[in-house]
Amino acid sequence: MAVLFKSTWDSAARWRAELSRFIPDIDIRVWPEYGEPDDITFAVVWGMPPGEFPKFRRLRGIASLGAGVDHLMRLPDLPAGVPVTRLVDPGMTAEMSEYVVLQVLRFHRRLPEYAGFQAMAKWQPLPRADTPSTRVSILGLGVLGQDAAAKLKLLGFKVAGWSRSAKEIAGVETFHGAGGLTAMLATTDILVNLLPLTADTQDIVNADLLAKLPQGAAFVNCARGRHVVDADLLAALDSGQIRGAALDVFRDEPLAADHPYWRHPKVLVTPHVAAATNPVTAAPQVAENILRAARGEPLLNVVDMATGY
Ligand code: NDP
Ligand code: OXD
């Protein structure tokens, strides 16, 4: 009974140390040095290449090393019938809300313009809207979207959110479905994306969606780059339909050195750091799932394979 560990970014040594606190005799095999494939009964992964999973015929569970599972769902050979879990981690949730609040306040208090003025030694106060009349809308009202909504609400913003199923959240105006999206966009000053990447949400931030926002809205993307049609966003920034974008995630990462986002005066680029996976806060639930899988019990935070998130 061994656990396969594979990650593009996370440290195997740190994960081994944290998981050992809950399972002292854990046998972790770090990809690609995993030994006998039939020893592997659980996989903890980010960025597994195609062609690997079919080798592990005794797998009882696959844990994503992130909240998103699109890196797994796109694999053509994800083993059928093996439960896939995602991270639902209070540490990661708090970090994401920090990022969202930071970017919303940045646009609200017009810091991008003041940064431009400073470069010219220009002293020029700008008008701005009151906080209670500034409308922040969130695409995705899941674990991360709901926490960000609550924190923006505490700051006094008018908060709305959009999800697949209908929701009631105190103090948040909620929308769902295609009609709901159009209605929400029409009353949005700052749009935040916290959707999972699925077949239904890929390319959702396109020319059509951006045109439904009031002119001069701002956009924050901390979900996935493939939600955005880059050429459409760049056109909306250049026309002034969108006044600025804070982008943490990109279609291809790392973002190519010659990508127009890097040098666009209305774009802030951060390198997929909105909310990092922290083994200290995330290991307890992964350890719990390894133990549950070993006992043949249902796992926590299992992904719905039909919806893809
Ligand atoms: P959840 O699964 O908890 O929430 C997803 C939300 O999106 C739900 O409200 C869901 O609706 C909604 N949704 C899904 N599909 C649709 C659709 N077709 N139309 C409308 N709404 C839809 O995810 P999390 O909040 O935990 O995470 C969201 C994403 O954030 C992750 O998938 C990942 O891509 C990204 N992320 C980025 C990080 C970064 O550092 N940049 C770090 C962590 C996560 P419903 O409630 O009805 O199911
Ligand atoms: C995640 C991420 O999905 O870091 O957790 O992007």
Side-chain angles (χ1 to χ4, degrees):
M1 301 261 287
V3 173
L4 176 72
F5 182 91
K6 154 80 176 96
S7 175
T8 324
W9 311 110
D10 303 271
S11 151
R14 285 190 69 204
W15 270 93
R16 189 191 302 276
E18 290 305 321
L19 289 173
S20 305
R21 285 150 53 85
F22 303 93
I23 313 173
D25 58 348
I26 191 165
D27 176 4
I28 295 186
R29 315 271 178 93
V30 182
W31 187 90
E33 308 297 330
Y34 47 76
E36 170 54 50
D38 279 352
D39 292 348
I40 305 290
T41 53
F42 200 93
V44 179
V45 294
W46 182 278
M48 189 72 143
E52 288 302 301
F53 274 125
K55 296 177 186 166
F56 307 108
R57 293 170 301 183
R58 295 181 61 228
L59 267 186
R60 295 187 195 169
I62 300 171
S64 165
L65 275 166
V69 290
D70 45 293
H71 64 105
L72 289 165
M73 295 298 143
R74 68 169 161 254
L75 289 175
D77 49 17
L78 192 64
V82 177
V84 172
T85 67
R86 68 188 203 92
L87 291 183
V88 177
D89 172 8
M92 180 183 263
T93 304
E95 269 195 29
M96 180 57 86
S97 292
E98 274 177 21
Y99 186 92
V100 171
V101 166
L102 175 71
Q103 300 308 338
V104 166
L105 286 175
R106 193 176 143 267
F107 284 120
H108 178 51
R109 300 303 297 261
R110 307 197 66 170
L111 290 196
E113 289 97 324
Y114 288 125
F117 290 172
Q118 184 171 349
M120 297 182 277
K122 180 172 164 183
W123 182 275
Q124 163 137 28
L126 294 169
R128 68 177 167 83
D130 290 344
T131 306
S133 54
T134 298
R135 303 159 302 180
V136 184
S137 298
I138 305 176
L139 299 171
L141 278 177
V143 174
L144 302 181
Q146 289 197 32
D147 191 73
K151 287 171 181 165
L152 290 165
K153 196 71 213 154
L154 275 180
L155 287 171
F157 289 101
K158 206 169 180 174
V159 182
W162 183 66
S163 49
R164 204 164 55 90
S165 54
K167 293 201 187 315
E168 273 185 40
I169 303 172
V172 176
E173 198 178 356
T174 54
F175 297 85
H176 68 283
L181 178 58
T182 301
M184 183 180 81
L185 293 170
T187 58
T188 296
D189 297 308
I190 304 173
L191 182 69
V192 177
N193 179 27
L194 276 172
L195 286 167
L197 181 64
T198 66
D200 290 337
T201 64
Q202 173 147 345
D203 296 333
I204 189 168
V205 180
N206 54 28
D208 182 49
L209 179 147
L210 294 167
K212 289 178 177 161
L213 289 163
Q215 190 178 26
F219 176 57
V220 180
N221 189 15
C222 29
R224 287 291 180 265
R226 282 168 197 267
H227 286 130
V228 177
V229 178
D230 293 329
D232 292 0
L233 177 58
L234 286 162
L237 287 161
D238 291 340
S239 73
Q241 171 62 14
I242 297 297
R243 75 171 150 117
L247 307 176
D248 184 57
V249 284
F250 303 91
R251 200 157 273 267
D252 295 305
E253 296 180 2
L255 185 64
D258 61 352
H259 198 287
Y261 284 148
W262 281 117
R263 277 163 279 277
H264 199 290
K266 294 183 183 168
V267 174
L268 174 81
V269 169
T270 53
H272 200 144
V273 290
T277 298
N278 177 352
V280 176
T281 52
Q285 68 192 268
V286 174
E288 172 66 19
N289 273 339
I290 293 170
L291 293 171
R292 282 173 176 243
R295 295 192 295 257
E297 294 172 6
L299 306 189
L300 306 174
N301 305 320
V302 173
V303 170
D304 178 344
M305 299 310 250
T307 60
Y309 68 95

